[in-house]
Amino acid sequence: VLALNGEITEVGEKIFASNGKEADFASALESCEKAGGTLATPMNEEENNAILSIVKQYKRYAYLGIKGGDTSGQFKYIDGTPLNYTKWHKYEPNGKGTEKCVEMYNDGSWNDKKCNLYRLTICEF
């Protein structure tokens, strides 16, 4: 169970929350789903900034609810829909298909990354 005793931020229809714990992508996604949500997925600048405020509070990079598709360098939301908003860091994504997950840096920009690293879990509801 995800105990939400950490940071909670509300934006529009979404609530973003973190318990401050780090996990690999699959475990982070699983804990968000068990709590009735999914991994934080920014759909616009306002949501990206809300997630960023949590990243800055914990001073840790966080996984986003975005996965690499079958085509190298092509990313989609975890529900399979195409991205309609991106904030890639300069020269990213650069994993050429080997980095299937996306993390948020502490400046709000995104980087493609391997999925087995431990990153901050931020869920959206």
Side-chain angles (χ1 to χ4, degrees):
V1 174
L2 183 69
L4 299 176
N5 56 358
E7 178 75 10
I8 298 175
T9 306
E10 195 173 347
V11 176
E13 303 284 304
K14 289 186 182 179
I15 295 172
F16 298 106
S18 179
N19 59 2
K21 296 202 166 102
E22 293 190 349
D24 62 30
F25 182 86
S27 301
L29 178 59
E30 187 182 356
S31 33
C32 290
E33 288 176 344
K34 278 185 179 165
T38 190
L39 268 176
T41 308
M43 303 289 218
N44 55 48
E45 191 72 18
E46 189 182 20
E47 292 179 4
N48 203 73
N49 288 338
I51 297 164
L52 174 59
S53 71
I54 298 174
V55 166
K56 283 183 170 172
Q57 183 198 345
Y58 288 103
K59 297 179 180 65
R60 297 197 188 108
Y61 297 169
Y63 278 129
L64 299 176
I66 299 168
K67 285 279 284 192
D70 300 328
T71 312
S72 172
Q74 182 189 19
F75 288 83
K76 297 177 177 174
Y77 295 117
I78 39 182
D79 67 6
T81 56
L83 296 181
N84 60 4
Y85 165 84
T86 60
K87 193 164 179 109
W88 293 110
H89 196 75
K90 193 174 183 181
Y91 308 122
E92 300 294 343
N94 66 2
K96 300 182 178 64
T98 63
E99 298 176 329
K100 296 272 190 194
C101 289
V102 178
E103 65 183 356
M104 180 184 281
Y105 285 153
N106 53 14
D107 67 356
S109 65
W110 305 354
N111 172 44
D112 56 335
K113 203 72 184 167
K114 293 199 181 302
C115 302
N116 62 346
L117 300 165
Y118 277 62
R119 293 293 179 262
L120 182 63
T121 300
I122 302 176
C123 304
E124 74 173 45
F125 301 94

